[in-house]
Amino acid sequence: MARRCFYGFHFKPDNWRAATVRSIGVIEGNTPASDNDWEAITSGYDADEKIKRWIAGQMQGKSCVIVLVGAETANRKWINHEIVKAWNDGLGVVGIRIHGLKNNAGITSSGGPNPFDYVTHNTTSSLLSSIAKCYDPVGSDSKQRYDWITKYLSDAVEDAISIRKNNQ
């Protein structure tokens, strides 16, 4: 049975790579907001509160947050919010680096920092990166990295859920 997970990623540069990972099918993921829905969510004086409610609704019933890490993912306001919310809600959190996957133009990007280096674990005051894992799929090209994600994503999610249960 596939786990139900929320995918967090930096939309503009990584939406194609994220869609590629989400299409693997070993994890049941959240449905992305359409452009029209996202415009409604992010507009108005209360945009931050609407975004928080949207994220909370998308995370409801999930067991893990998978942060798809591209060159510009780490330390973004909403990525940090998703990580903190997931951890505080008892969900597993795991990072999967996607910079080695091709985008719609067939281009890979450079790797970015670990997003868990920007979030502090409340109980220990340590960086969450000392607890949560961020995987860098092995392979010399996009296909090999995609194959690694296909093979190990489910295991990474199970490990993240176990790590969370063992770190209250």
Side-chain angles (χ1 to χ4, degrees):
M1 178 177 160
R3 288 282 191 175
R4 295 185 69 213
C5 296
F6 176 90
Y7 287 94
F9 57 95
H10 184 197
F11 183 80
K12 189 165 186 159
D14 293 324
N15 63 334
W16 187 274
R17 292 177 184 96
T20 300
V21 172
R22 293 165 69 148
S23 70
I24 290 172
V26 296
I27 302 295
E28 183 182 329
N30 56 303
T31 305
S34 70
D35 289 344
N36 289 341
D37 289 343
W38 189 246
E39 187 174 309
I41 293 166
T42 59
S43 64
Y45 71 93
D46 61 343
D48 280 3
E49 287 307 312
K50 289 192 290 188
I51 293 169
K52 286 178 185 177
R53 283 193 303 271
W54 181 84
I55 290 169
Q58 292 295 307
M59 284 189 184
Q60 193 169 18
K62 306 298 192 282
S63 53
C64 187
V65 168
I66 302 168
V67 181
L68 300 176
V69 183
E72 302 171 29
T73 306
N75 206 27
R76 298 188 62 77
K77 176 181 179 178
W78 295 113
I79 295 294
N80 289 351
H81 174 79
E82 291 164 356
I83 294 167
V84 169
K85 176 160 182 42
W87 190 267
N88 289 346
D89 288 352
L91 305 179
V93 293
V94 64
I96 303 291
R97 295 184 180 278
I98 59 170
H99 65 276
L101 299 179
K102 291 180 180 178
N103 66 10
N104 59 328
I107 300 169
T108 61
S109 69
S110 60
N114 182 339
F116 305 134
D117 283 341
Y118 296 88
V119 176
T120 303
H121 180 251
N122 288 341
T123 307
T124 64
S125 298
S126 299
L127 294 178
L128 194 56
S129 59
S130 68
I131 302 168
K133 294 182 182 179
C134 185
Y135 294 91
D136 193 358
V138 297
S140 59
D141 61 26
S142 182
K143 181 177 179 347
Q144 289 178 355
R145 289 174 182 245
Y146 176 85
D147 290 345
W148 186 96
I149 294 170
T150 301
K151 184 174 181 179
Y152 295 109
L153 181 59
S154 178
D155 293 339
V157 166
E158 292 303 321
D159 193 32
I161 292 167
S162 178
I163 288 169
R164 180 60 187 98
K165 286 179 182 174
N166 293 324
N167 289 277
Q168 301 299 323

